Amino acid sequence: MSFKKSDELKITEPKKVAVGFPAIASVGYRIWEETYVGRGVKTMFKLNQVKGYDCPSCAWPDPDPSERSLIAEYCENGAKAVAWEASKETIGAEFFAENSIKELLTKSNYWLEKQGRLNSPMYLPQGGTHYQTVTWEKAFEIAAHELNKLNDPDEAIFYTSGRASNEAAFCYQLFVRQFGTNNLPDCSNMCHEATGVALSETTGIGKASVKLDDISQTDLLLIFGQNPGTNAPRMLTELQKLKQNGGKIIAVNPMPETGFMGFKHPQKPWEWVGDGTPLQDLYLQVKINGDLALVKAILVLLYRKQKIDASIFDEAFISKHSTGYSEFLAQLANADYDDLVQQSGIAVAEIEKAAAYIIDAKKIIIAWAMGITQHTNGEDTIREFVNLLLVKGSIAKPGAGTLPVRGHSNVQGDRTMGIWEKSPESFLSSLEKAFDFKAPREHGVTAVEAVEHLVAKKSKVFVGLGGNFVHAAPDTSLVEQAMNDADFTMHIATKLNRSHVVHGKSALILPCLGRTEIDETSKGKQFITTEDTAGRVRMSMGDLTPVAPNLKSEVAIVCGIAAATLKEKQKCLGIIFQ
Ligand code: SF4
């Protein structure tokens, strides 16, 4: 892979305003570049609409139907994602005959994905130099052969990317557990795992406790290690409403974020002139991973003030709804404030300003993302977030609570459906009862352990339900070696990516329908469901003619593999396949 020399890099002053007309222009350009304009415009009108499809780009919630924009209920990222999916290009037999694996390995991931949608099942036999087309029947047969020749089901790894629908995820975990393993790592292992652990332990629910409309109702929103303008741009709309309702925002991030400095609503042309709405009231440029020390320092300050004014902490709420308060106070009493300040990298005056905002606020929401969860102490930081909300009595009431902002559009739904290598006994025993089979109990591997198992040859098969594992997992060269060491790799995908050309001794790529496309079966038009970052489940129904006639839905592909692999052993998966 060759990179052009750095003299191509243009370094400019960081922008001070986000979105506005440039976002609209970018959407228009993307539609023109990626798909047929008619198809593209039709796609946009259905995006995030009630009778339309859920955006495949991130998990930001949609407003209530009555609040939704009928013109454009999406952001630039969402528009790019569906225009990219609605691509006018497809690749199949001809493309792979012209491009050997060796040649494809020299291409960037951007180039691979840019070639267009996969239009046929592709198989790379052992020792082969080019992928070749196979029928679906043959593809399922190959998959079944590779899986059934394993000595132990734990020699196979079944990875899920957070874009898979609830229905595909449920069928996948049911198949995998009927196959006999809990090796169900997913992208959550690499993003919000710390959130799930810390919140389940502290609030009893491993997800957000707030709904979308709580955000604009809060007095104070603290956002740690998350950058809405880039990762969940529609969040900026809610932050603007929060400001218009008199709320305050504290942004905590080693990197300043343009969206917090100035936001121009794309659907309000009168806002396109001028500096936009400044969203952050206080920006704390914390040291990398200084968030835990910062929250602890703020708590120590509040504790000192509580000793003078007993109304700082909501002790009525604390005594009614929490445990461990005295131990918590003892920790604060013994904390080394100066050391915490030093670790946070924030000046005392700024910390005092933040504490003052917190004291004045009755309703507080704390939001975070991977700037918190991808640190080894991520769980501890999230526990302190919950402590801060508890002392302020700011959980489980309107305008108050936790808001972990998820990335992938259905990463939360997949976990709810059982995509977890450590699913609890309650889930496994209900599954057994419902589908009359013996579910494995031994915990499976996480995404990182999956790489270790492949390198150690403890696992020989890697299956990917969506995603681009070699790019998502840490330590790319080790992951690529792990893939090459595998006996067989199989991916269900819409477009070609690096994980398909860094393959096992033999490999399959199975092209699936996109979320924007019609999925018609003998039972009529199908829809899927997804779960957003606020825990709400929505229906998503494609309405575009599939970009190629030989595509199948994720659900049909999973069930096809299951029926071929489990044969008479399978329970309930065959029905869907017919
Ligand atoms: S905020 Fe996220 S879900 Fe919403 S349109 Fe943008 S990318 Fe899609």
Side-chain angles (χ1 to χ4, degrees):
M1 197 185 306
S2 56
F3 287 104
K4 297 206 182 80
K5 292 284 160 288
S6 62
D7 57 12
E8 291 239 356
L9 281 182
K10 287 193 291 309
I11 299 177
T12 61
E13 272 305 301
K15 290 201 180 87
K16 295 274 180 292
V17 177
V19 193
F21 180 74
I24 296 178
S26 163
V27 167
Y29 171 73
R30 282 295 163 158
I31 292 174
W32 172 79
E33 189 203 24
E34 293 285 354
T35 183
Y36 304 102
V37 174
R39 187 176 166 88
V41 172
K42 182 180 177 195
T43 316
M44 298 306 150
F45 273 109
K46 284 277 181 159
L47 183 51
N48 293 331
Q49 296 302 332
V50 175
K51 289 212 170 5
Y53 28 76
D54 179 41
C55 174
S57 184
C58 96
W60 189 252
D62 302 321
D64 289 345
S66 56
E67 307 278 316
R68 233 168 272 190
S69 157
L70 293 177
I71 303 163
E73 188 51 61
Y74 52 83
C75 75
E76 196 184 333
N77 293 2
K80 285 179 191 169
V82 288
W84 173 96
E85 185 187 282
S87 165
K88 51 187 171 231
E89 309 298 335
T90 74
I91 54 174
E94 204 184 318
F95 171 85
F96 287 101
E98 284 161 11
N99 295 278
S100 70
I101 294 293
K102 198 155 170 260
E103 284 154 335
L104 293 172
L105 281 168
T106 67
K107 305 293 183 187
S108 70
N109 197 68
Y110 178 77
W111 185 93
L112 293 171
E113 296 195 12
K114 196 88 187 121
Q115 301 316 301
R117 294 279 305 279
L118 295 157
N119 63 26
S120 306
M122 303 304 300
Y123 176 53
L124 181 74
Q126 186 146 0
T129 57
H130 291 69
Y131 272 102
Q132 46 195 258
T133 48
V134 287
T135 63
W136 279 107
E137 201 175 349
K138 183 69 188 162
F140 294 147
E141 207 183 287
I142 292 166
H145 170 70
E146 293 293 341
L147 288 168
N148 286 331
K149 82 176 185 193
L150 295 171
N151 305 320
D152 182 315
D154 282 337
E155 290 180 354
I157 289 165
F158 297 88
Y159 174 76
T160 307
S161 128
R163 207 180 255 200
S165 68
N166 286 340
E167 292 68 23
F170 188 79
C171 290
Y172 192 56
Q173 63 80 29
L174 181 58
F175 157 52
V176 171
R177 290 191 166 111
Q178 288 188 24
F179 180 69
T181 180
N182 282 314
N183 278 351
L184 285 157
D186 67 344
C187 56
S188 261
N189 293 149
M190 297 179 276
C191 70
H192 271 282
E193 198 69 67
T195 296
V197 172
L199 286 186
S200 306
E201 183 194 291
T202 51
T203 66
I205 174 175
K207 312 173 178 184
S209 70
V210 300
K211 302 190 302 308
L212 182 68
D213 50 24
D214 282 312
I215 298 170
S216 56
Q217 306 311 316
T218 195
D219 299 331
L220 177 64
L221 175 67
L222 293 111
I223 306 185
F224 289 84
Q226 197 244 339
N227 136 5
T230 306
N231 300 335
R234 276 191 302 161
M235 184 173 179
L236 298 176
T237 305
E238 295 309 311
L239 301 187
Q240 188 184 45
K241 285 186 207 159
L242 179 163
K243 295 293 301 171
Q244 286 158 351
N245 293 341
K248 298 245 183 302
I249 297 174
I250 299 179
V252 184
N253 203 322
M255 295 271 286
E257 158 62 29
T258 306
F260 284 134
M261 299 174 200
F263 168 59
K264 291 181 176 178
H265 198 299
Q267 292 169 44
K268 299 176 181 168
W270 55 94
E271 289 189 7
W272 296 350
V273 285
D275 299 333
T277 308
L279 295 177
Q280 63 194 11
D281 296 273
L282 181 60
Y283 167 52
L284 300 177
Q285 190 160 25
V286 72
K287 273 188 192 163
I288 292 179
N289 201 17
D291 309 82
L292 177 57
L294 172 65
V295 181
K296 280 189 169 175
I298 289 171
L299 283 164
V300 171
L301 260 189
L302 297 178
Y303 167 69
R304 290 178 179 172
K305 293 181 188 300
Q306 164 75 4
K307 287 205 283 186
I308 304 159
D309 164 3
S311 70
I312 303 285
F313 287 171
D314 185 340
E315 296 207 323
F317 180 93
I318 293 167
S319 59
K320 195 166 172 215
H321 298 293
S322 76
T323 57
Y325 186 46
S326 49
E327 298 87 337
F328 168 69
L329 291 182
Q331 275 174 17
L332 295 180
N334 301 325
D336 177 340
Y337 180 69
D338 298 338
D339 177 49
L340 291 172
V341 171
Q342 199 273 326
Q343 283 181 50
S344 74
I346 303 293
V348 169
E350 299 290 279
I351 296 178
E352 287 171 352
K353 233 190 248 168
Y357 278 134
I358 291 166
I359 289 170
D360 292 347
K362 288 267 171 295
K363 298 176 286 178
I364 301 172
I365 292 177
I366 299 184
W368 67 88
M370 283 182 268
I372 296 298
T373 59
Q374 290 193 331
H375 289 292
T376 48
N377 59 1
E379 290 171 26
D380 295 338
T381 310
I382 295 161
R383 290 189 188 98
E384 289 304 339
F385 289 163
V386 174
N387 285 338
L388 178 53
L389 293 170
L390 284 171
V391 292
K392 287 292 294 175
S394 241
I395 281 196
K397 63 185 187 186
T402 58
L403 177 58
V405 180
R406 303 281 176 157
H408 257 314
S409 59
N410 197 38
V411 64
Q412 201 157 286
D414 293 344
R415 270 290 162 98
T416 309
M417 292 298 117
I419 299 289
W420 192 14
E421 75 284 351
K422 297 186 184 66
S423 282
E425 177 55 31
S426 53
F427 179 83
L428 296 174
S429 50
S430 319
L431 206 62
E432 279 183 342
K433 253 193 242 102
F435 295 98
D436 177 29
F437 77 104
K438 186 88 194 99
R441 288 302 191 277
E442 195 190 330
H443 285 335
V445 294
T446 65
V448 171
E449 289 160 350
V451 177
E452 291 158 356
H453 276 230
L454 284 163
V455 170
K457 301 206 177 333
K458 282 190 199 158
S459 295
K460 300 176 179 147
V461 167
F462 180 93
V463 181
L465 173 55
N468 186 354
F469 190 69
V470 294
H471 264 214
D475 199 340
T476 308
S477 55
L478 184 69
V479 179
E480 295 205 349
Q481 181 207 327
M483 281 299 167
N484 286 147
D485 289 348
D487 290 353
F488 176 64
T489 52
M490 173 164 67
H491 295 271
I492 299 168
T494 53
K495 284 193 165 185
L496 183 65
N497 68 41
R498 181 92 181 150
S499 296
H500 309 153
V501 294
V502 177
H503 54 80
K505 294 186 182 52
S506 64
L508 264 177
I509 316 173
L510 305 175
C512 63
L513 290 167
R515 222 178 255 179
T516 56
E517 292 169 325
I518 296 167
D519 175 19
E520 190 119 28
T521 71
S522 57
K523 307 221 168 43
K525 260 194 180 172
Q526 303 297 309
F527 66 82
I528 56 151
T529 60
T530 57
E531 179 185 333
D532 64 34
T533 222
R536 187 154 67 174
V537 176
R538 62 152 292 162
M539 183 179 100
S540 177
M541 185 184 261
D543 84 327
L544 291 183
T545 310
V547 76
N550 194 18
L551 304 181
K552 286 183 184 297
S553 69
E554 292 170 322
V555 171
I557 296 173
V558 167
C559 293
I561 297 167
T565 307
L566 301 171
K567 298 201 174 29
E568 58 292 337
K569 224 176 64 177
Q570 60 83 16
K571 297 279 169 74
C572 295
L573 289 160
I575 302 167
I576 300 170
F577 179 49
Q578 278 142 22

